Amino acid sequence: MASATPLPDRAVAVVALAAAVALARLPLRRQIAAVRTVRVLPYARAGRVSALYAAVHAVTPVWWPGRIACMEISLATVIATALTGGQARWVLGARFLPDAAHAWVEALEGAVGRDTADAADRPWTAVLVIP
């Protein structure tokens, strides 16, 4: 997958992932405030957001001792989208039976990075959408 991702996208993804991991150490309200600063940018197309999401996945290190999961990856995707001049929504959601939480990114055309494996009988509900 890394070879299929363009080098400029991977470079932006590395910077965005580093910023997301650093922001993840802050309280959630600070993370939300940081994401809200990009609301002046125009919305990016879903294809562009998907490409950046794939780039973030391509550069995510397997050796990292800390957490890099859906929340950090979706935050990095929002940051990467902002670094390339666009805006995407950061969505924190949940579902029941069994209880689970998940984070994903949304463009105007739809969701990117939302787990849909068993969503027919247990759909994700957006709890917080930023910006």
Side-chain angles (χ1 to χ4, degrees):
M1 182 169 208
S3 62
T5 306
L7 185 59
D9 285 355
R10 284 188 286 166
V12 168
V14 166
V15 172
L17 189 59
V21 169
L23 278 172
R25 299 179 58 93
L26 298 175
L28 183 61
R29 69 179 184 279
R30 300 283 185 201
Q31 296 175 43
I32 292 168
V35 171
R36 283 191 173 148
T37 63
V38 304
R39 69 179 131 185
V40 297
L41 298 172
Y43 276 99
R45 305 293 296 178
R48 184 68 186 132
V49 176
S50 293
L52 291 168
Y53 180 78
V56 169
H57 265 286
V59 301
T60 301
V62 295
W63 52 265
W64 184 256
R67 173 190 156 94
I68 298 181
C70 63
M71 191 160 178
E72 292 79 15
I73 290 172
S74 60
L75 180 57
T77 304
V78 169
I79 293 168
T81 305
L83 290 173
T84 58
Q87 174 188 162
R89 293 182 192 113
W90 188 37
V91 183
L92 307 178
R95 67 178 174 192
F96 299 103
L97 300 172
D99 297 341
H102 188 50
W104 64 90
V105 180
E106 284 185 354
L108 290 178
E109 297 91 357
V112 176
R114 183 171 51 195
D115 178 24
T116 58
D118 53 359
D121 61 338
R122 297 183 312 125
W124 290 105
T125 301
V127 176
L128 185 61
V129 181
I130 305 121

